[in-house]
Amino acid sequence: MTQLFKAIAIMIIVLAPTSWAAAQSDAPAQAEKTWSLVLHGGAGTISRDRITQEKDAEIRAKLTEALDAGSAVLKSGGSATDAIVATIMVLEDDPNFNAGKGAVFTWEGTNSLDSSIMDGATRNAGAAAGTSTTKNPILLARAVMENSRHVLLSGEGADQFSREQGLEQVDNSYFATPSRREALERFKLRQNAISALGGDQLAQDQLGRDWRFGTVGAVAVDNEGNIAAGTSTGGLTGKQWGRIGDSPIIGAGTYADNRSCGVSATGAGEYFIRVGVAHEICTRLRIAYETRPDFSETTTQDIADSVIAEMGDLGGSGGIIYATPWGQIGYSFDTPGMYRGMASSKGDKSVAIYGDEE
Ligand code: GLY
C-alpha cells in the first residue's frame, strides 16, 4: 500500500507541472474566432481593352464596399446569412451589376429577377424566380427560406409573397438603365439577323463563349463555422418565354453545406443547370475531404477547376466562388475576367477584375 501511495505521489509530482503548463496554454488557445467572405459580380469577356479606367475604378470601389458591408457583419459576430445578404444588397443596388437595379432586359423590355440563398448549417434554402417588383431579390430568397415551407417561388406568386412579407416594392421601371436598354436593342438586331439566316432562336454568343457581365453572389463562413451562399441576377439579355437560369436553382447556381463548402455561380445558366455546378463541387469536395488521406487545399481548387472545365466542355462558360469551413476561399472561372473579391479574419482583403490578377 505504501509502495502504491509512493508511486502515486511521484506521478503527481512529475506530472503536475506539465498539467499546469498545459492548462495555462489552453486558456488563451480557446477556439479562435475566424470568418471569411468571398463575392463575385459576374464573369465574362471582361478585359482591360473593354473597360475604361474610370469604370474599372468604379467597379473596384463597389466590390470593396460590398466586401466591407459583409465583413462588418462577420467581424461583429453576425451570421454568414446576414453577411451575404448585406454584401449582395450593395451589388443589387448598384447599376453596374446585372442584379436588382441595372438588371438586363427581357425580350419584352421588362426586368425579371432571380435569386437564391442557402444555409449550410441546416441546408435550408430559398429562391425566387422571375420576380418583377421586389427591390432586393436576395431578401425575398431569404424570406422564402426562413418564412415559408417552400424552396422556390416564381413570378407573380413570388412577388405576392414578397408583399405579404413586407419587403420593399418598386415599379418594374426602377430596375431599368439606359445601357441595359441599349444592350437589348443590340441583342434584338443581332438575334433578328441570326433568325433571318435560319439560325437558332437564342443568340449563341449569349449562351456560349462571348458572354459578358452577370450575376452577383457571395459566400461566407461565420465565427461559428456556418456557411451561407447566395446569388442574385437579372439573367440574360433578351430572355424569352419565362426563361429561368441557374441562379435561383439550388444546386446549380447556389449551394451551401457545412460539411464541405458554399458556392455561388455566374455564367451561362443553362450549362450550370445541366452540370449542377454548385452541388457537384460541394459533393466532390465532401467525399474527397472524408476519404482522401492526401487531401489538401490544392484538392479544393482542383475540384472547382475540374467542374468548371466539365461545364465548359459542354459549351458553357462562367465561374464560381467558394468558401470552405476550414477557411479556404477561392474562385474558378474560364472567362477572361470575373468581378470578384475576398476578405477574412486573417486580415486579407482583395478585389480583382481580370483573369491575370491574383
Ligand atoms: N447565370 C445567370 C443566368 O444564366 O441567368
Side-chain angles (χ1 to χ4, degrees):
M1 192 66 187
T2 314
Q3 292 294 339
L4 179 64
F5 179 77
K6 260 188 182 167
I8 291 171
I10 289 166
M11 274 173 67
I12 289 170
I13 291 163
V14 169
L15 293 178
T18 319
S19 309
W20 179 83
Q24 292 299 300
S25 64
D26 275 350
Q30 276 174 349
E32 197 192 334
K33 299 286 188 187
T34 61
W35 56 264
S36 49
L37 174 66
V38 57
L39 63 79
H40 69 79
T45 48
I46 304 167
S47 52
R48 287 182 178 80
D49 56 337
R50 291 183 179 226
I51 299 182
T52 63
Q53 279 188 350
E54 292 72 31
K55 187 56 83 179
D56 176 302
E58 208 179 297
I59 298 283
R60 285 178 201 272
K62 197 48 73 171
L63 293 174
T64 304
E65 186 186 327
L67 212 47
D68 288 346
S71 301
V73 172
L74 294 164
K75 265 183 212 158
S76 64
S79 72
T81 301
D82 284 341
I84 60 159
V85 168
T87 304
I88 290 172
M89 282 178 70
V90 171
L91 302 175
E92 284 182 337
D93 290 345
D94 188 277
N96 283 303
F97 303 94
N98 175 18
K101 174 106 187 137
V104 299
F105 281 95
T106 64
W107 184 266
E108 294 77 21
T110 59
N111 298 103
S112 177
L113 297 312
D114 301 335
S115 58
S116 65
I117 196 165
M118 187 159 183
D119 172 358
T122 57
R123 274 175 283 154
N124 197 1
T131 64
S132 52
T133 60
T134 302
K135 179 170 179 274
N136 288 105
I138 195 66
L139 292 179
L140 176 51
R142 183 178 192 168
V144 174
M145 175 171 80
E146 293 180 344
N147 304 333
S148 86
R149 60 198 164 91
H150 306 299
V151 168
L152 174 59
L153 301 183
S154 70
E156 171 47 32
D159 279 321
Q160 182 188 335
F161 176 73
S162 175
R163 289 192 293 277
E164 288 172 12
Q165 289 290 306
L167 298 180
E168 186 175 354
Q169 304 296 304
V170 290
D171 188 86
N172 192 245
S173 60
Y174 159 81
F175 301 107
T177 59
S179 67
R180 297 299 190 193
R181 195 172 288 285
E182 284 160 23
L184 176 65
E185 296 314 320
R186 283 196 303 277
F187 176 78
K188 282 188 166 183
L189 283 175
R190 208 168 46 232
Q191 179 68 7
N192 288 336
I194 291 170
S195 297
L197 294 170
D200 196 309
Q201 284 290 304
L202 286 168
Q204 286 306 311
D205 62 357
Q206 278 261 307
L207 295 179
R209 303 224 164 256
D210 185 23
W211 181 88
R212 196 180 181 205
F213 302 144
T215 307
V216 307
V219 184
V221 184
D222 63 27
N223 285 309
E224 307 301 323
N226 290 324
I227 304 177
T231 311
S232 179
T233 191
L236 296 180
T237 298
K239 61 186 181 180
Q240 286 175 280
W241 312 298
R243 179 265 185 194
I244 303 295
D246 60 314
S247 303
I249 307 298
I250 296 299
T254 300
Y255 202 73
D257 181 344
N258 275 10
R259 298 171 299 175
S260 55
C261 66
V263 170
S264 169
T266 168
E270 280 68 10
Y271 296 90
F272 283 75
I273 293 172
R274 287 165 60 192
V275 174
V277 165
H279 183 264
E280 185 73 13
I281 291 172
C282 290
T283 301
R284 286 191 200 182
L285 190 55
R286 176 168 57 81
I287 292 168
Y289 186 67
E290 288 171 358
T291 61
R292 277 180 52 177
D294 63 337
F295 186 91
S296 73
E297 292 205 344
T298 316
T299 318
T300 311
Q301 189 63 43
D302 288 347
I303 286 171
D305 291 345
S306 42
V307 174
I308 288 297
E310 286 167 32
M311 180 275 307
D313 288 344
L314 296 182
S317 186
I320 60 98
I321 53 172
Y322 66 78
T324 70
W326 51 89
Q328 199 180 349
I329 42 183
Y331 325 103
S332 180
F333 53 98
D334 65 2
T335 47
M338 180 163 87
Y339 296 149
R340 58 201 188 275
M342 53 168 68
S344 79
S345 50
K346 289 183 215 151
D348 323 330
K349 182 171 150 186
S350 64
V351 297
I353 295 180
Y354 313 108
D356 58 8
E357 292 178 87
E358 276 299 305

